[in-house]
Amino acid sequence: MIGNALRAADLDGRGRGLLAARSIREGEVILTEPPLVVYPASLGSIPSFCSACFRSLSAPASPCPSCRAAAFCSPACAAASHPRLLCAALSGGKLASATEPHQEPLLFLLSAYSLQEPSLRVLLSLSSAPTPPPSQQDPASLHAMVVALVPPGMLPQGFSPDITAALLAKDRTNSFSIMEPYRPEVSQELRKARAYAVYPQASRLNHDCLPNACHFDYPDMPGPGNTDIVVRALHDITEGREVCISYFAANWQYKDRQLRLLEDYGFQCECERCQVESKWKLDDDKDGSNGDDDDTMEEEEEGDGGDDGMEQEEGDGSGGSEDDFPHAYFFVRYLCDQGDCYGMLAPLPPLLNGEPSHVFECNVCGHLKKEDDVPDGGDSSMAD
């Protein structure tokens, strides 16, 4: 969990956030957390992954004795089972008739309402996203669908349209994608999430377009904890500084970052990078043109919040020369250059003697890169 590296705080204009409770070394694991709730990304993904741990399934798999739609990778996972309301909905076969836009929120609601009351209360205590347009996610319609999918006796105490609407708002703000493993032959727009998960502590990490930390997931890792989120420091962070991640790929253009943050999270970013790039935008407008208008963005299948598996856009994200863009060093040092990955390169944890590892790992493709191959730059602005 948080351990001794982070502490929660109320931050002016930023809501709840996490601060460094002490000096943090580059590569240090500053947060490891199991999911409060984890659920399939789509109905189509259920046959491909264990419904308890979400590892890739290899034959033979043990089918769920109740719904027969889900399967498990081991006796231990079969004993752990999967959310009871989701199992009931799959058993009746009605969930299969849900249209694709409704599948993901229904899978979330069925999983969330399966939580024990204390865990459901924690989920409801998290921050909320702005209310989406009804055409995107109508809480009343989704609530009625849950009623039609689940036997009345299984619905939890307190089940109501208001709670359903509140849960949907929590999902949009706080969920992280657990992505299918990166494969170079699979284009970024076809790379999908296998599951979504909510991590209460990690959800407190605010966004910055030049983050000082990034998160990793290792869904096919052997042993327990494969759905845990792992957050590592990109570089040294001084005590008292806020620890931030990026909610999407660091190479997104200014206007796309601002649009996404405003629509999904309800705020306009005013970080140092955005302050610099906003001036480029103003200069473009004065010239009567906007070079960003010709850019196209290819997104992965999105999660509802948090970090969406690092959706990608072509380009280096700088949009100007190094003289115009004082943060260009960040992209050279911390942005993966393997194919069209554009993941974040974070140092591996320090060695047992406290020395830096001198090896960087990409949080999307998993590529390892020796520090000798990464510019040392000497840019003190990258260290907090």
Side-chain angles (χ1 to χ4, degrees), residues 203-221:
S203 71
R204 294 180 176 179
L205 290 164
N206 285 324
H207 167 85
D208 196 289
C209 296
L210 291 174
N212 53 17
C214 71
H215 86 273
F216 290 77
D217 54 63
Y218 303 97
D220 287 322
M221 176 186 73

Side-chain angles (χ1 to χ4, degrees), residues 12-359:
D12 290 342
R14 294 176 65 82
R16 297 283 285 175
L18 295 178
L19 305 182
R22 55 170 174 76
S23 295
I24 294 173
R25 299 289 304 278
E26 67 168 49
E28 185 177 342
V29 174
I30 51 181
L31 174 64
T32 301
E33 183 179 15
L36 177 67
V37 60
V38 56
Y39 60 97
S42 68
L43 284 174
S45 71
I46 290 177
S48 301
F49 308 107
C50 174
S51 287
C53 72
F54 290 91
R55 289 186 177 91
S56 298
L57 283 176
S58 57
S62 302
C64 174
S66 298
C67 68
R68 310 299 296 182
F72 304 102
C73 67
S74 67
C77 281
S81 191
H82 62 140
R84 60 187 185 88
L85 268 66
L86 175 55
C87 184
L90 290 169
S91 298
K94 295 179 182 178
L95 187 56
S97 63
T99 59
E100 188 170 345
H102 294 134
Q103 288 181 14
E104 184 274 323
L106 282 173
L107 291 167
F108 165 71
L109 288 171
L110 292 165
S111 300
Y113 273 127
S114 297
L115 293 171
Q116 296 296 315
E117 194 275 337
S119 295
L120 182 60
R121 192 164 59 241
V122 170
L123 181 57
L124 288 168
S125 72
L126 302 180
S127 61
S128 298
T131 303
S135 60
Q136 292 184 22
Q137 200 176 76
D138 179 28
S141 297
L142 290 166
H143 183 81
M145 291 179 192
V146 173
V147 172
L149 289 169
V150 178
M154 294 189 68
L155 294 172
Q157 186 177 7
F159 177 77
S160 69
D162 288 343
I163 297 298
T164 296
L167 286 171
L168 291 168
K170 309 303 179 183
D171 181 42
R172 292 184 63 239
T173 300
N174 299 289
S175 66
F176 288 77
S177 300
I178 298 177
M179 301 302 297
E180 294 182 2
Y182 173 86
R183 290 182 293 166
E185 68 273 15
V186 177
S187 61
Q188 286 299 325
E189 65 269 19
L190 296 179
R191 185 169 178 255
K192 299 178 180 180
R194 65 173 63 175
Y196 300 119
V198 176
Y199 306 91
Q201 300 298 338
S203 71
R204 294 180 176 179
L205 290 164
N206 285 324
H207 167 85
D208 196 289
C209 296
L210 291 174
N212 53 17
C214 71
H215 86 273
F216 290 77
D217 54 63
Y218 303 97
D220 287 322
M221 176 186 73
N226 68 298
T227 56
D228 291 1
I229 191 171
V230 178
V231 180
R232 293 214 306 263
L234 294 180
H235 48 74
D236 292 348
I237 304 172
T238 56
E239 181 178 352
R241 295 283 296 193
E242 185 178 8
V243 177
C244 296
I245 62 174
S246 177
Y247 291 171
F248 33 72
N251 67 318
W252 275 28
Q253 299 291 328
Y254 170 78
K255 69 167 188 175
D256 296 316
R257 300 196 310 270
Q258 294 291 351
L259 180 63
R260 175 63 178 277
L261 293 170
L262 188 61
E263 288 184 346
D264 282 4
Y265 304 98
F267 71 90
Q268 181 176 352
C269 186
E270 297 181 354
C271 70
E272 291 182 5
R273 177 184 170 192
C274 284
Q275 291 180 39
V276 171
E277 293 186 19
S278 66
K279 297 175 182 177
W280 297 342
K281 181 68 165 56
L282 291 173
D283 290 342
D284 288 340
D285 287 344
K286 289 176 183 177
D287 293 337
S289 64
N290 180 2
D292 287 346
D293 288 343
D294 294 331
D295 292 334
T296 58
M297 180 168 58
E298 297 178 340
E299 296 189 7
E300 301 165 3
E301 181 173 321
E302 295 185 7
D304 283 335
D307 175 292
D308 293 304
M310 303 296 283
E311 297 96 339
Q312 310 302 330
E313 179 182 20
E314 296 296 331
D316 64 4
S318 62
S321 69
E322 289 192 14
D323 291 338
D324 295 331
F325 187 55
H327 307 111
Y329 169 71
F330 181 94
F331 294 93
V332 176
R333 185 168 179 81
Y334 298 113
L335 195 67
C336 184
D337 59 0
Q338 296 295 302
D340 62 348
C341 171
Y342 299 117
M344 198 73 74
L345 290 169
L348 290 177
L351 304 178
L352 293 177
N353 62 4
E355 291 296 316
S357 68
H358 302 297
V359 177

